[in-house]
């Protein structure tokens, strides 16, 4: 099969397409003929540094999420899985390939009426956005500031928070991203590429921050007394710095995402069902063939992409 190899950590150029042995599903596993591979910003950080939630020895085939069709079963797997359209995490490796062996107990059936590429785009970001909204629980009428509002998670957060009745303030960089956030339901938009981007904004009740660093800190400064902040990403390279003493003095609540396997599975199923019912729209901004995985990583790191970036493994 064709796959993308990571043999050393570094820039996007270290992702090199080549041949790899076809995986064989073991006990409790299935073989997925991959149509799309799900890309996340965390994967670009792992490729560059070897740091992050994934652990694997080099050389390896990276990739933590796939969408495709089950074509073979390992011992002990229910025969009903054969031929099903599914999405699944891989555990951090094996996704950038034409075939992937994954545990059957981690599979999610793609609902009828939902395209496989849309389901793959929702695999990581859909569950994350759903878990964030469950944790933050914005009330109707609350002002909710979403940073990186035109990204994979951000575009979904804007929709989910607006559906919950919140007044969504979407912060993103540049006119294209702001227009997308408004289209998805944001009541206000603000360009955080402007040095004074917070100056004209009214205080907010909740910050959902996927950027961190100085931008996350500026967002935290917008919180009213008694407000809440939930940081879920560090696209800037560092988490938002909000000292405990300051949070206490301002009566701020610093929320933490604590997913369990059960909650994560339910959140994924919910996101897929909402998309199949046309109540949640995954935005696929860029697509690349498998052989151009390096270009896909460059696009993500450029901050110029909208929504989700996918590898289209099979046409």
């Amino acid at each position: 099969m064709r796959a993308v190899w990571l043999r050393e950590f570094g820039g996007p150029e270290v992702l090199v397409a080549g041949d790899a042995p076809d995986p064989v599903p073991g006990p409790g596993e299935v073989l997925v003929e991959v149509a799309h591979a799900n890309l996340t910003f965390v994967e670009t950080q792992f490729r560059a540094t070897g740091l992050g939630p994934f652990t694997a020895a080099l050389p390896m085939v990276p990739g933590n999420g796939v969408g495709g069709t089950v074509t073979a079963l390992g011992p002990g797997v229910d025969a009903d899985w054969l031929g099903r359209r599914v999405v699944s995490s891989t555990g951090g490796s094996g996704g950038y390939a034409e075939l992937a062996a994954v545990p059957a107990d981690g599979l999610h059936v793609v609902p009828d009426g939902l395209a496989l590429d849309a389901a793959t785009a929702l695999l990581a970001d859909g569950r994350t956005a759903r878990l964030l909204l469950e944790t933050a629980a914005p009330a109707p009428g609350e002002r909710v500031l979403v940073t990186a509002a035109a990204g994979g998670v951000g575009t979904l957060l804007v929709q989910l928070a607006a559906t919950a009745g919140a007044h969504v303030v979407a912060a993103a960089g540049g006119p294209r991203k702001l227009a997308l956030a408004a289209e998805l339901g944001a009541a206000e938009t603000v360009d955080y590429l402007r040095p004074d981007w917070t100056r004209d904004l009214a205080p907010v009740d909740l910050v959902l921050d996927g950027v961190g660093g100085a931008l996350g800190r500026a967002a935290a400064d917008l919180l009213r007394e008694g407000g809440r902040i939930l940081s879920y990403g560090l696209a800037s390279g560092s988490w938002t710095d909000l000292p405990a003493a300051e949070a206490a003095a301002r009566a701020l609540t610093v929320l933490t995402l604590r997913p369990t396997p059960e909650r994560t599975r339910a959140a994924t199923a919910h996101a897929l069902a909402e998309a199949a019912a046309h109540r949640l729209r995954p935005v696929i901004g860029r697509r690349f063939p498998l052989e151009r995985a390096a270009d896909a990583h460059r696009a993500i790191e450029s901050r110029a992409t909208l929504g989700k970036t996918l590898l289209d493994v099979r046409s």
Side-chain angles (χ1 to χ4, degrees), residues 77-245:
V77 176
D78 191 325
D80 286 347
W81 281 115
L82 199 61
R84 302 294 295 271
R85 296 189 313 147
V86 298
V87 291
S88 177
S89 295
T90 67
S93 63
Y96 299 180
E98 292 179 321
L99 298 168
V102 299
D105 60 8
L107 296 173
H108 292 270
V109 175
V110 177
D112 292 341
L114 182 61
L116 193 49
D117 57 352
T120 308
L122 281 168
L123 176 61
D125 293 346
R127 68 189 177 213
T128 299
R130 174 64 181 174
L131 289 168
L132 289 167
L133 259 290
E134 288 178 357
T135 301
E142 282 195 312
R143 290 177 55 81
V144 177
L145 173 61
V146 178
T147 67
V153 176
T155 51
L156 300 174
L157 284 176
V158 168
Q159 296 174 70
L160 292 172
T163 298
H167 179 101
V168 178
V169 182
R176 289 173 62 241
K177 294 184 177 183
L178 298 182
L180 174 61
E183 178 186 336
L184 295 175
E188 294 179 53
T189 62
V190 58
D191 188 344
Y192 56 32
L193 297 180
R194 294 186 359 238
D196 61 346
W197 69 274
T198 63
R199 185 183 63 187
D200 298 326
L201 290 179
V204 299
D205 301 285
L206 170 65
V207 170
L208 298 170
D209 175 40
V211 179
L215 196 147
R217 175 65 241 198
D221 287 342
L222 285 168
L223 282 166
R224 63 166 179 79
E225 184 175 355
R228 314 184 306 285
I229 182 169
L230 178 49
S231 295
Y232 65 92
L234 61 165
S236 66
S238 62
W239 292 103
T240 295
D241 181 21
L242 181 60

Side-chain angles (χ1 to χ4, degrees), residues 259-273:
T260 63
E262 294 77 18
R263 285 187 65 206
T264 299
R265 185 166 186 82
T268 305
H270 182 272
L272 293 173

Side-chain angles (χ1 to χ4, degrees), residues 12 38-45 47 96 177 235 286 288 293-311:
N38 173 31
L39 298 171
T40 64
F41 186 77
V42 171
E43 290 175 14
T44 70
Q45 295 174 309
R47 182 219 71 232
Y96 299 180
K177 294 184 177 183
R286 295 290 303 273
F288 294 85
D295 290 335
H297 274 229
R298 288 188 186 96
I300 292 171
E301 291 177 325
S302 75
R303 307 293 203 277
T305 57
L306 296 175
K308 195 68 180 171
T309 301
L310 291 183
L311 289 182

